[in-house]
PDB file of all heavy atoms in Angstrom:
ATOM      1  N   ALA J1420      29.199  -4.553 -11.804  1.00  0.00           N
ATOM      2  CA  ALA J1420      30.224  -3.975 -12.676  1.00  0.00           C
ATOM      3  C   ALA J1420      29.496  -3.086 -13.688  1.00  0.00           C
ATOM      4  O   ALA J1420      28.275  -2.941 -13.640  1.00  0.00           O
ATOM      5  CB  ALA J1420      30.993  -5.086 -13.380  1.00  0.00           C
ATOM      6  N   ARG J1421      30.231  -2.512 -14.589  1.00  0.00           N
ATOM      7  CA  ARG J1421      29.605  -1.655 -15.600  1.00  0.00           C
ATOM      8  C   ARG J1421      28.812  -2.503 -16.584  1.00  0.00           C
ATOM      9  O   ARG J1421      29.144  -3.646 -16.841  1.00  0.00           O
ATOM     10  CB  ARG J1421      30.667  -0.881 -16.361  1.00  0.00           C
ATOM     11  CG  ARG J1421      31.350   0.125 -15.505  1.00  0.00           C
ATOM     12  CD  ARG J1421      32.384   0.860 -16.305  1.00  0.00           C
ATOM     13  NE  ARG J1421      33.137   1.722 -15.424  1.00  0.00           N
ATOM     14  CZ  ARG J1421      33.414   2.975 -15.688  1.00  0.00           C
ATOM     15  NH1 ARG J1421      33.045   3.509 -16.826  1.00  0.00           N
ATOM     16  NH2 ARG J1421      34.090   3.684 -14.829  1.00  0.00           N
ATOM     17  N   GLY J1422      27.770  -1.905 -17.103  1.00  0.00           N
ATOM     18  CA  GLY J1422      27.014  -2.587 -18.154  1.00  0.00           C
ATOM     19  C   GLY J1422      25.523  -2.573 -17.899  1.00  0.00           C
ATOM     20  O   GLY J1422      25.056  -2.429 -16.767  1.00  0.00           O
ATOM     21  N   ARG J1423      24.790  -2.697 -18.987  1.00  0.00           N
ATOM     22  CA  ARG J1423      23.334  -2.675 -18.908  1.00  0.00           C
ATOM     23  C   ARG J1423      22.787  -3.873 -18.128  1.00  0.00           C
ATOM     24  O   ARG J1423      21.781  -3.771 -17.440  1.00  0.00           O
ATOM     25  CB  ARG J1423      22.724  -2.638 -20.295  1.00  0.00           C
ATOM     26  CG  ARG J1423      21.230  -2.643 -20.213  1.00  0.00           C
ATOM     27  CD  ARG J1423      20.474  -1.941 -21.268  1.00  0.00           C
ATOM     28  NE  ARG J1423      21.027  -0.741 -21.815  1.00  0.00           N
ATOM     29  CZ  ARG J1423      20.584   0.474 -21.519  1.00  0.00           C
ATOM     30  NH1 ARG J1423      19.624   0.623 -20.639  1.00  0.00           N
ATOM     31  NH2 ARG J1423      21.091   1.520 -22.104  1.00  0.00           N
ATOM     32  N   GLY J1424      23.446  -5.002 -18.237  1.00  0.00           N
ATOM     33  CA  GLY J1424      22.980  -6.189 -17.512  1.00  0.00           C
ATOM     34  C   GLY J1424      22.944  -5.967 -16.010  1.00  0.00           C
ATOM     35  O   GLY J1424      21.995  -6.366 -15.333  1.00  0.00           O
ATOM     36  N   TRP J1425      23.979  -5.320 -15.498  1.00  0.00           N
ATOM     37  CA  TRP J1425      24.020  -5.049 -14.057  1.00  0.00           C
ATOM     38  C   TRP J1425      23.000  -3.984 -13.669  1.00  0.00           C
ATOM     39  O   TRP J1425      22.445  -4.022 -12.576  1.00  0.00           O
ATOM     40  CB  TRP J1425      25.414  -4.645 -13.614  1.00  0.00           C
ATOM     41  CG  TRP J1425      26.301  -5.841 -13.462  1.00  0.00           C
ATOM     42  CD1 TRP J1425      27.329  -6.201 -14.265  1.00  0.00           C
ATOM     43  CD2 TRP J1425      26.198  -6.850 -12.466  1.00  0.00           C
ATOM     44  NE1 TRP J1425      27.877  -7.371 -13.818  1.00  0.00           N
ATOM     45  CE2 TRP J1425      27.203  -7.793 -12.718  1.00  0.00           C
ATOM     46  CE3 TRP J1425      25.353  -7.060 -11.384  1.00  0.00           C
ATOM     47  CZ2 TRP J1425      27.383  -8.919 -11.928  1.00  0.00           C
ATOM     48  CZ3 TRP J1425      25.540  -8.180 -10.592  1.00  0.00           C
ATOM     49  CH2 TRP J1425      26.542  -9.097 -10.876  1.00  0.00           C
ATOM     50  N   GLN J1426      22.759  -3.031 -14.557  1.00  0.00           N
ATOM     51  CA  GLN J1426      21.725  -2.030 -14.272  1.00  0.00           C
ATOM     52  C   GLN J1426      20.358  -2.691 -14.144  1.00  0.00           C
ATOM     53  O   GLN J1426      19.591  -2.372 -13.237  1.00  0.00           O
ATOM     54  CB  GLN J1426      21.699  -0.968 -15.375  1.00  0.00           C
ATOM     55  CG  GLN J1426      22.900  -0.067 -15.377  1.00  0.00           C
ATOM     56  CD  GLN J1426      22.885   0.900 -16.550  1.00  0.00           C
ATOM     57  OE1 GLN J1426      22.040   0.803 -17.437  1.00  0.00           O
ATOM     58  NE2 GLN J1426      23.816   1.835 -16.548  1.00  0.00           N
ATOM     59  N   LEU J1427      20.083  -3.621 -15.044  1.00  0.00           N
ATOM     60  CA  LEU J1427      18.806  -4.343 -14.975  1.00  0.00           C
ATOM     61  C   LEU J1427      18.730  -5.224 -13.727  1.00  0.00           C
ATOM     62  O   LEU J1427      17.679  -5.338 -13.095  1.00  0.00           O
ATOM     63  CB  LEU J1427      18.606  -5.174 -16.234  1.00  0.00           C
ATOM     64  CG  LEU J1427      18.421  -4.378 -17.524  1.00  0.00           C
ATOM     65  CD1 LEU J1427      18.415  -5.306 -18.724  1.00  0.00           C
ATOM     66  CD2 LEU J1427      17.165  -3.536 -17.462  1.00  0.00           C
ATOM     67  N   THR J1428      19.858  -5.826 -13.370  1.00  0.00           N
ATOM     68  CA  THR J1428      19.892  -6.668 -12.169  1.00  0.00           C
ATOM     69  C   THR J1428      19.640  -5.835 -10.909  1.00  0.00           C
ATOM     70  O   THR J1428      18.874  -6.243 -10.037  1.00  0.00           O
ATOM     71  CB  THR J1428      21.252  -7.383 -12.065  1.00  0.00           C
ATOM     72  OG1 THR J1428      21.452  -8.163 -13.244  1.00  0.00           O
ATOM     73  CG2 THR J1428      21.307  -8.279 -10.847  1.00  0.00           C
ATOM     74  N   ILE J1429      20.264  -4.679 -10.829  1.00  0.00           N
ATOM     75  CA  ILE J1429      20.062  -3.808  -9.668  1.00  0.00           C
ATOM     76  C   ILE J1429      18.621  -3.301  -9.641  1.00  0.00           C
ATOM     77  O   ILE J1429      17.997  -3.214  -8.580  1.00  0.00           O
ATOM     78  CB  ILE J1429      21.081  -2.654  -9.677  1.00  0.00           C
ATOM     79  CG1 ILE J1429      22.475  -3.209  -9.385  1.00  0.00           C
ATOM     80  CG2 ILE J1429      20.717  -1.582  -8.658  1.00  0.00           C
ATOM     81  CD1 ILE J1429      23.592  -2.208  -9.548  1.00  0.00           C
ATOM     82  N   GLY J1430      18.064  -2.989 -10.811  1.00  0.00           N
ATOM     83  CA  GLY J1430      16.664  -2.564 -10.871  1.00  0.00           C
ATOM     84  C   GLY J1430      15.718  -3.657 -10.409  1.00  0.00           C
ATOM     85  O   GLY J1430      14.761  -3.400  -9.677  1.00  0.00           O
ATOM     86  N   ALA J1431      15.978  -4.894 -10.819  1.00  0.00           N
ATOM     87  CA  ALA J1431      15.145  -6.017 -10.383  1.00  0.00           C
ATOM     88  C   ALA J1431      15.280  -6.245  -8.881  1.00  0.00           C
ATOM     89  O   ALA J1431      14.292  -6.548  -8.192  1.00  0.00           O
ATOM     90  CB  ALA J1431      15.533  -7.280 -11.149  1.00  0.00           C
ATOM     91  N   ALA J1432      16.499  -6.090  -8.356  1.00  0.00           N
ATOM     92  CA  ALA J1432      16.716  -6.261  -6.913  1.00  0.00           C
ATOM     93  C   ALA J1432      15.972  -5.174  -6.132  1.00  0.00           C
ATOM     94  O   ALA J1432      15.385  -5.447  -5.081  1.00  0.00           O
ATOM     95  CB  ALA J1432      18.199  -6.228  -6.591  1.00  0.00           C
ATOM     96  N   LEU J1433      15.982  -3.948  -6.656  1.00  0.00           N
ATOM     97  CA  LEU J1433      15.254  -2.872  -6.000  1.00  0.00           C
ATOM     98  C   LEU J1433      13.751  -3.130  -6.024  1.00  0.00           C
ATOM     99  O   LEU J1433      13.061  -2.920  -5.029  1.00  0.00           O
ATOM    100  CB  LEU J1433      15.569  -1.533  -6.665  1.00  0.00           C
ATOM    101  CG  LEU J1433      14.806  -0.320  -6.127  1.00  0.00           C
ATOM    102  CD1 LEU J1433      15.134  -0.098  -4.655  1.00  0.00           C
ATOM    103  CD2 LEU J1433      15.135   0.912  -6.937  1.00  0.00           C
ATOM    104  N   PHE J1434      13.250  -3.610  -7.151  1.00  0.00           N
ATOM    105  CA  PHE J1434      11.828  -3.958  -7.235  1.00  0.00           C
ATOM    106  C   PHE J1434      11.473  -5.038  -6.221  1.00  0.00           C
ATOM    107  O   PHE J1434      10.457  -4.944  -5.531  1.00  0.00           O
ATOM    108  CB  PHE J1434      11.475  -4.419  -8.652  1.00  0.00           C
ATOM    109  CG  PHE J1434      10.057  -4.850  -8.787  1.00  0.00           C
ATOM    110  CD1 PHE J1434       9.042  -3.907  -8.887  1.00  0.00           C
ATOM    111  CD2 PHE J1434       9.720  -6.189  -8.801  1.00  0.00           C
ATOM    112  CE1 PHE J1434       7.722  -4.291  -9.011  1.00  0.00           C
ATOM    113  CE2 PHE J1434       8.407  -6.591  -8.914  1.00  0.00           C
ATOM    114  CZ  PHE J1434       7.395  -5.639  -9.018  1.00  0.00           C
ATOM    115  N   LEU J1435      12.315  -6.058  -6.113  1.00  0.00           N
ATOM    116  CA  LEU J1435      12.073  -7.130  -5.137  1.00  0.00           C
ATOM    117  C   LEU J1435      12.115  -6.595  -3.717  1.00  0.00           C
ATOM    118  O   LEU J1435      11.304  -6.971  -2.872  1.00  0.00           O
ATOM    119  CB  LEU J1435      13.098  -8.254  -5.316  1.00  0.00           C
ATOM    120  CG  LEU J1435      12.984  -9.434  -4.350  1.00  0.00           C
ATOM    121  CD1 LEU J1435      11.639 -10.131  -4.518  1.00  0.00           C
ATOM    122  CD2 LEU J1435      14.124 -10.403  -4.575  1.00  0.00           C
ATOM    123  N   GLN J1436      13.048  -5.683  -3.445  1.00  0.00           N
ATOM    124  CA  GLN J1436      13.142  -5.093  -2.110  1.00  0.00           C
ATOM    125  C   GLN J1436      11.869  -4.313  -1.772  1.00  0.00           C
ATOM    126  O   GLN J1436      11.336  -4.426  -0.659  1.00  0.00           O
ATOM    127  CB  GLN J1436      14.354  -4.190  -2.030  1.00  0.00           C
ATOM    128  CG  GLN J1436      14.583  -3.588  -0.665  1.00  0.00           C
ATOM    129  CD  GLN J1436      15.811  -2.701  -0.646  1.00  0.00           C
ATOM    130  OE1 GLN J1436      16.357  -2.343  -1.686  1.00  0.00           O
ATOM    131  NE2 GLN J1436      16.257  -2.341   0.542  1.00  0.00           N
ATOM    132  N   LEU J1437      11.370  -3.533  -2.705  1.00  0.00           N
ATOM    133  CA  LEU J1437      10.138  -2.774  -2.460  1.00  0.00           C
ATOM    134  C   LEU J1437       8.931  -3.692  -2.306  1.00  0.00           C
ATOM    135  O   LEU J1437       8.052  -3.440  -1.476  1.00  0.00           O
ATOM    136  CB  LEU J1437       9.914  -1.774  -3.597  1.00  0.00           C
ATOM    137  CG  LEU J1437      10.940  -0.644  -3.686  1.00  0.00           C
ATOM    138  CD1 LEU J1437      10.699   0.190  -4.938  1.00  0.00           C
ATOM    139  CD2 LEU J1437      10.909   0.213  -2.442  1.00  0.00           C
ATOM    140  N   ALA J1438       8.884  -4.763  -3.089  1.00  0.00           N
ATOM    141  CA  ALA J1438       7.782  -5.721  -2.971  1.00  0.00           C
ATOM    142  C   ALA J1438       7.815  -6.413  -1.605  1.00  0.00           C
ATOM    143  O   ALA J1438       6.769  -6.619  -0.974  1.00  0.00           O
ATOM    144  CB  ALA J1438       7.863  -6.752  -4.089  1.00  0.00           C
ATOM    145  N   CYS J1439       9.017  -6.758  -1.144  1.00  0.00           N
ATOM    146  CA  CYS J1439       9.143  -7.384   0.181  1.00  0.00           C
ATOM    147  C   CYS J1439       8.725  -6.420   1.281  1.00  0.00           C
ATOM    148  O   CYS J1439       8.061  -6.819   2.245  1.00  0.00           O
ATOM    149  CB  CYS J1439      10.581  -7.847   0.408  1.00  0.00           C
ATOM    150  SG  CYS J1439      11.044  -9.301  -0.529  1.00  0.00           S
ATOM    151  N   ALA J1440       9.095  -5.156   1.157  1.00  0.00           N
ATOM    152  CA  ALA J1440       8.711  -4.170   2.164  1.00  0.00           C
ATOM    153  C   ALA J1440       7.200  -3.988   2.191  1.00  0.00           C
ATOM    154  O   ALA J1440       6.599  -3.900   3.269  1.00  0.00           O
ATOM    155  CB  ALA J1440       9.395  -2.832   1.878  1.00  0.00           C
ATOM    156  N   ALA J1441       6.575  -3.971   1.034  1.00  0.00           N
ATOM    157  CA  ALA J1441       5.113  -3.842   0.980  1.00  0.00           C
ATOM    158  C   ALA J1441       4.435  -5.067   1.576  1.00  0.00           C
ATOM    159  O   ALA J1441       3.463  -4.943   2.332  1.00  0.00           O
ATOM    160  CB  ALA J1441       4.668  -3.628  -0.463  1.00  0.00           C
ATOM    161  N   ALA J1442       4.937  -6.250   1.252  1.00  0.00           N
ATOM    162  CA  ALA J1442       4.341  -7.479   1.786  1.00  0.00           C
ATOM    163  C   ALA J1442       4.501  -7.562   3.302  1.00  0.00           C
ATOM    164  O   ALA J1442       3.564  -7.927   4.018  1.00  0.00           O
ATOM    165  CB  ALA J1442       4.975  -8.694   1.124  1.00  0.00           C
ATOM    166  N   ALA J1443       5.678  -7.220   3.797  1.00  0.00           N
ATOM    167  CA  ALA J1443       5.916  -7.272   5.242  1.00  0.00           C
ATOM    168  C   ALA J1443       5.062  -6.240   5.968  1.00  0.00           C
ATOM    169  O   ALA J1443       4.474  -6.529   7.021  1.00  0.00           O
ATOM    170  CB  ALA J1443       7.390  -7.050   5.556  1.00  0.00           C
ATOM    171  N   GLY J1444       4.969  -5.038   5.422  1.00  0.00           N
ATOM    172  CA  GLY J1444       4.165  -3.991   6.062  1.00  0.00           C
ATOM    173  C   GLY J1444       2.691  -4.322   6.091  1.00  0.00           C
ATOM    174  O   GLY J1444       2.017  -4.123   7.106  1.00  0.00           O
ATOM    175  N   THR J1445       2.182  -4.841   4.978  1.00  0.00           N
ATOM    176  CA  THR J1445       0.767  -5.206   4.915  1.00  0.00           C
ATOM    177  C   THR J1445       0.451  -6.338   5.876  1.00  0.00           C
ATOM    178  O   THR J1445      -0.554  -6.299   6.590  1.00  0.00           O
ATOM    179  CB  THR J1445       0.399  -5.615   3.481  1.00  0.00           C
ATOM    180  OG1 THR J1445       0.718  -4.532   2.609  1.00  0.00           O
ATOM    181  CG2 THR J1445      -1.068  -5.957   3.365  1.00  0.00           C
ATOM    182  N   THR J1446       1.319  -7.335   5.915  1.00  0.00           N
ATOM    183  CA  THR J1446       1.110  -8.458   6.826  1.00  0.00           C
ATOM    184  C   THR J1446       1.185  -8.001   8.273  1.00  0.00           C
ATOM    185  O   THR J1446       0.380  -8.410   9.116  1.00  0.00           O
ATOM    186  CB  THR J1446       2.150  -9.558   6.564  1.00  0.00           C
ATOM    187  OG1 THR J1446       2.113  -9.910   5.184  1.00  0.00           O
ATOM    188  CG2 THR J1446       1.874 -10.783   7.412  1.00  0.00           C
ATOM    189  N   GLN J1447       2.127  -7.125   8.569  1.00  0.00           N
ATOM    190  CA  GLN J1447       2.275  -6.622   9.936  1.00  0.00           C
ATOM    191  C   GLN J1447       1.026  -5.856  10.375  1.00  0.00           C
ATOM    192  O   GLN J1447       0.533  -6.041  11.488  1.00  0.00           O
ATOM    193  CB  GLN J1447       3.501  -5.726  10.018  1.00  0.00           C
ATOM    194  CG  GLN J1447       3.796  -5.214  11.401  1.00  0.00           C
ATOM    195  CD  GLN J1447       5.001  -4.280  11.407  1.00  0.00           C
ATOM    196  OE1 GLN J1447       5.345  -3.704  10.384  1.00  0.00           O
ATOM    197  NE2 GLN J1447       5.621  -4.148  12.548  1.00  0.00           N
ATOM    198  N   ARG J1448       0.502  -5.009   9.502  1.00  0.00           N
ATOM    199  CA  ARG J1448      -0.711  -4.261   9.852  1.00  0.00           C
ATOM    200  C   ARG J1448      -1.912  -5.182  10.023  1.00  0.00           C
ATOM    201  O   ARG J1448      -2.733  -4.982  10.920  1.00  0.00           O
ATOM    202  CB  ARG J1448      -1.001  -3.202   8.791  1.00  0.00           C
ATOM    203  CG  ARG J1448      -0.111  -1.987   8.923  1.00  0.00           C
ATOM    204  CD  ARG J1448      -0.519  -0.881   7.970  1.00  0.00           C
ATOM    205  NE  ARG J1448      -0.302  -1.223   6.572  1.00  0.00           N
ATOM    206  CZ  ARG J1448       0.871  -1.141   5.948  1.00  0.00           C
ATOM    207  NH1 ARG J1448       1.936  -0.745   6.622  1.00  0.00           N
ATOM    208  NH2 ARG J1448       0.985  -1.451   4.674  1.00  0.00           N
ATOM    209  N   SER J1449      -2.013  -6.210   9.194  1.00  0.00           N
ATOM    210  CA  SER J1449      -3.126  -7.154   9.304  1.00  0.00           C
ATOM    211  C   SER J1449      -3.069  -7.913  10.623  1.00  0.00           C
ATOM    212  O   SER J1449      -4.094  -8.092  11.294  1.00  0.00           O
ATOM    213  CB  SER J1449      -3.103  -8.138   8.139  1.00  0.00           C
ATOM    214  OG  SER J1449      -3.274  -7.470   6.927  1.00  0.00           O
ATOM    215  N   ILE J1450      -1.885  -8.355  11.005  1.00  0.00           N
ATOM    216  CA  ILE J1450      -1.732  -9.070  12.273  1.00  0.00           C
ATOM    217  C   ILE J1450      -2.052  -8.139  13.435  1.00  0.00           C
ATOM    218  O   ILE J1450      -2.744  -8.514  14.381  1.00  0.00           O
ATOM    219  CB  ILE J1450      -0.313  -9.661  12.401  1.00  0.00           C
ATOM    220  CG1 ILE J1450      -0.127 -10.796  11.402  1.00  0.00           C
ATOM    221  CG2 ILE J1450      -0.047 -10.135  13.819  1.00  0.00           C
ATOM    222  CD1 ILE J1450       1.290 -11.300  11.300  1.00  0.00           C
ATOM    223  N   ARG J1451      -1.558  -6.904  13.353  1.00  0.00           N
ATOM    224  CA  ARG J1451      -1.812  -5.936  14.419  1.00  0.00           C
ATOM    225  C   ARG J1451      -3.315  -5.688  14.581  1.00  0.00           C
ATOM    226  O   ARG J1451      -3.820  -5.617  15.694  1.00  0.00           O
ATOM    227  CB  ARG J1451      -1.089  -4.629  14.110  1.00  0.00           C
ATOM    228  CG  ARG J1451      -1.070  -3.682  15.273  1.00  0.00           C
ATOM    229  CD  ARG J1451      -0.384  -2.362  14.946  1.00  0.00           C
ATOM    230  NE  ARG J1451       0.930  -2.543  14.354  1.00  0.00           N
ATOM    231  CZ  ARG J1451       1.298  -2.010  13.197  1.00  0.00           C
ATOM    232  NH1 ARG J1451       0.494  -1.252  12.506  1.00  0.00           N
ATOM    233  NH2 ARG J1451       2.510  -2.218  12.728  1.00  0.00           N
ATOM    234  N   GLN J1452      -4.034  -5.572  13.485  1.00  0.00           N
ATOM    235  CA  GLN J1452      -5.475  -5.333  13.566  1.00  0.00           C
ATOM    236  C   GLN J1452      -6.228  -6.545  14.104  1.00  0.00           C
ATOM    237  O   GLN J1452      -7.222  -6.399  14.812  1.00  0.00           O
ATOM    238  CB  GLN J1452      -6.032  -4.959  12.205  1.00  0.00           C
ATOM    239  CG  GLN J1452      -5.683  -3.560  11.796  1.00  0.00           C
ATOM    240  CD  GLN J1452      -6.228  -3.217  10.418  1.00  0.00           C
ATOM    241  OE1 GLN J1452      -6.636  -4.099   9.668  1.00  0.00           O
ATOM    242  NE2 GLN J1452      -6.231  -1.940  10.095  1.00  0.00           N
ATOM    243  N   SER J1453      -5.748  -7.742  13.766  1.00  0.00           N
ATOM    244  CA  SER J1453      -6.471  -8.935  14.219  1.00  0.00           C
ATOM    245  C   SER J1453      -6.270  -9.226  15.704  1.00  0.00           C
ATOM    246  O   SER J1453      -7.129  -9.847  16.323  1.00  0.00           O
ATOM    247  CB  SER J1453      -6.071 -10.149  13.390  1.00  0.00           C
ATOM    248  OG  SER J1453      -4.744 -10.515  13.650  1.00  0.00           O
ATOM    249  N   VAL J1454      -5.162  -8.778  16.290  1.00  0.00           N
ATOM    250  CA  VAL J1454      -4.925  -9.062  17.708  1.00  0.00           C
ATOM    251  C   VAL J1454      -5.339  -7.916  18.624  1.00  0.00           C
ATOM    252  O   VAL J1454      -5.318  -8.066  19.839  1.00  0.00           O
ATOM    253  CB  VAL J1454      -3.446  -9.426  17.985  1.00  0.00           C
ATOM    254  CG1 VAL J1454      -3.052 -10.663  17.219  1.00  0.00           C
ATOM    255  CG2 VAL J1454      -2.525  -8.274  17.687  1.00  0.00           C
ATOM    256  N   THR J1455      -5.714  -6.774  18.048  1.00  0.00           N
ATOM    257  CA  THR J1455      -6.113  -5.622  18.851  1.00  0.00           C
ATOM    258  C   THR J1455      -7.634  -5.563  18.938  1.00  0.00           C
ATOM    259  O   THR J1455      -8.322  -5.743  17.938  1.00  0.00           O
ATOM    260  CB  THR J1455      -5.592  -4.313  18.214  1.00  0.00           C
ATOM    261  OG1 THR J1455      -4.181  -4.430  18.055  1.00  0.00           O
ATOM    262  CG2 THR J1455      -5.911  -3.116  19.074  1.00  0.00           C
ATOM    263  N   VAL J1456      -8.144  -5.306  20.135  1.00  0.00           N
ATOM    264  CA  VAL J1456      -9.599  -5.201  20.295  1.00  0.00           C
ATOM    265  C   VAL J1456     -10.111  -3.988  19.524  1.00  0.00           C
ATOM    266  O   VAL J1456      -9.384  -3.014  19.275  1.00  0.00           O
ATOM    267  CB  VAL J1456      -9.985  -5.091  21.792  1.00  0.00           C
ATOM    268  CG1 VAL J1456      -9.662  -6.387  22.513  1.00  0.00           C
ATOM    269  CG2 VAL J1456      -9.283  -3.942  22.457  1.00  0.00           C
ATOM    270  N   ALA J1457     -11.366  -4.042  19.121  1.00  0.00           N
ATOM    271  CA  ALA J1457     -11.934  -3.048  18.202  1.00  0.00           C
ATOM    272  C   ALA J1457     -11.850  -1.615  18.731  1.00  0.00           C
ATOM    273  O   ALA J1457     -11.550  -0.691  17.981  1.00  0.00           O
ATOM    274  CB  ALA J1457     -13.375  -3.409  17.884  1.00  0.00           C
ATOM    275  N   ASP J1458     -12.096  -1.411  20.015  1.00  0.00           N
ATOM    276  CA  ASP J1458     -12.111  -0.034  20.525  1.00  0.00           C
ATOM    277  C   ASP J1458     -10.708   0.545  20.738  1.00  0.00           C
ATOM    278  O   ASP J1458     -10.561   1.737  20.998  1.00  0.00           O
ATOM    279  CB  ASP J1458     -12.927   0.049  21.819  1.00  0.00           C
ATOM    280  CG  ASP J1458     -12.357  -0.819  22.934  1.00  0.00           C
ATOM    281  OD1 ASP J1458     -11.695  -1.816  22.620  1.00  0.00           O
ATOM    282  OD2 ASP J1458     -12.596  -0.486  24.103  1.00  0.00           O
ATOM    283  N   LYS J1459      -9.670  -0.252  20.587  1.00  0.00           N
ATOM    284  CA  LYS J1459      -8.291   0.233  20.745  1.00  0.00           C
ATOM    285  C   LYS J1459      -7.523   0.296  19.419  1.00  0.00           C
ATOM    286  O   LYS J1459      -6.353   0.634  19.400  1.00  0.00           O
ATOM    287  CB  LYS J1459      -7.519  -0.679  21.702  1.00  0.00           C
ATOM    288  CG  LYS J1459      -8.112  -0.787  23.074  1.00  0.00           C
ATOM    289  CD  LYS J1459      -7.918   0.495  23.840  1.00  0.00           C
ATOM    290  CE  LYS J1459      -8.434   0.284  25.262  1.00  0.00           C
ATOM    291  NZ  LYS J1459      -8.723   1.513  25.921  1.00  0.00           N
ATOM    292  N   GLN J1460      -8.165  -0.019  18.294  1.00  0.00           N
ATOM    293  CA  GLN J1460      -7.450  -0.064  17.026  1.00  0.00           C
ATOM    294  C   GLN J1460      -6.945   1.305  16.583  1.00  0.00           C
ATOM    295  O   GLN J1460      -5.863   1.416  16.027  1.00  0.00           O
ATOM    296  CB  GLN J1460      -8.319  -0.696  15.944  1.00  0.00           C
ATOM    297  CG  GLN J1460      -8.398  -2.192  16.100  1.00  0.00           C
ATOM    298  CD  GLN J1460      -9.023  -2.866  14.907  1.00  0.00           C
ATOM    299  OE1 GLN J1460      -9.382  -2.231  13.930  1.00  0.00           O
ATOM    300  NE2 GLN J1460      -9.163  -4.178  15.001  1.00  0.00           N
ATOM    301  N   ALA J1461      -7.711   2.344  16.817  1.00  0.00           N
ATOM    302  CA  ALA J1461      -7.263   3.685  16.433  1.00  0.00           C
ATOM    303  C   ALA J1461      -6.026   4.083  17.228  1.00  0.00           C
ATOM    304  O   ALA J1461      -5.079   4.653  16.679  1.00  0.00           O
ATOM    305  CB  ALA J1461      -8.382   4.699  16.644  1.00  0.00           C
ATOM    306  N   ARG J1462      -6.015   3.756  18.498  1.00  0.00           N
ATOM    307  CA  ARG J1462      -4.853   4.079  19.324  1.00  0.00           C
ATOM    308  C   ARG J1462      -3.635   3.266  18.886  1.00  0.00           C
ATOM    309  O   ARG J1462      -2.523   3.775  18.835  1.00  0.00           O
ATOM    310  CB  ARG J1462      -5.165   3.789  20.794  1.00  0.00           C
ATOM    311  CG  ARG J1462      -4.034   4.211  21.714  1.00  0.00           C
ATOM    312  CD  ARG J1462      -4.412   4.074  23.145  1.00  0.00           C
ATOM    313  NE  ARG J1462      -5.487   5.025  23.424  1.00  0.00           N
ATOM    314  CZ  ARG J1462      -5.859   5.380  24.639  1.00  0.00           C
ATOM    315  NH1 ARG J1462      -5.250   4.858  25.682  1.00  0.00           N
ATOM    316  NH2 ARG J1462      -6.833   6.221  24.826  1.00  0.00           N
ATOM    317  N   MET J1463      -3.846   2.002  18.557  1.00  0.00           N
ATOM    318  CA  MET J1463      -2.739   1.151  18.094  1.00  0.00           C
ATOM    319  C   MET J1463      -2.166   1.684  16.777  1.00  0.00           C
ATOM    320  O   MET J1463      -0.955   1.731  16.589  1.00  0.00           O
ATOM    321  CB  MET J1463      -3.203  -0.291  17.903  1.00  0.00           C
ATOM    322  CG  MET J1463      -2.134  -1.217  17.400  1.00  0.00           C
ATOM    323  SD  MET J1463      -0.682  -1.330  18.454  1.00  0.00           S
ATOM    324  CE  MET J1463      -1.347  -2.242  19.798  1.00  0.00           C
TER     325      MET J1463
END
């Protein structure tokens, strides 16, 4: 609804969403690197 409280809530939700995306992406890349053999990592 209208109001500064909701603006702060939406801002916090956006921050959490970006933090989750960063955590998921970093974890995904780490897993991908650990299961791929060394000479195929650039291609992956």
Side-chain angles (χ1 to χ4, degrees):
R1421 292 180 186 227
R1423 179 149 325 255
W1425 281 109
Q1426 290 176 353
L1427 294 173
T1428 302
I1429 290 172
L1433 177 62
F1434 177 78
L1435 179 62
Q1436 183 180 13
L1437 293 174
C1439 287
T1445 303
T1446 306
Q1447 183 182 23
R1448 283 187 293 279
S1449 297
I1450 291 171
R1451 191 182 309 126
Q1452 285 179 346
S1453 68
V1454 299
T1455 305
V1456 293
D1458 61 334
K1459 301 289 185 200
Q1460 284 191 2
R1462 185 173 295 196
M1463 179 59 72

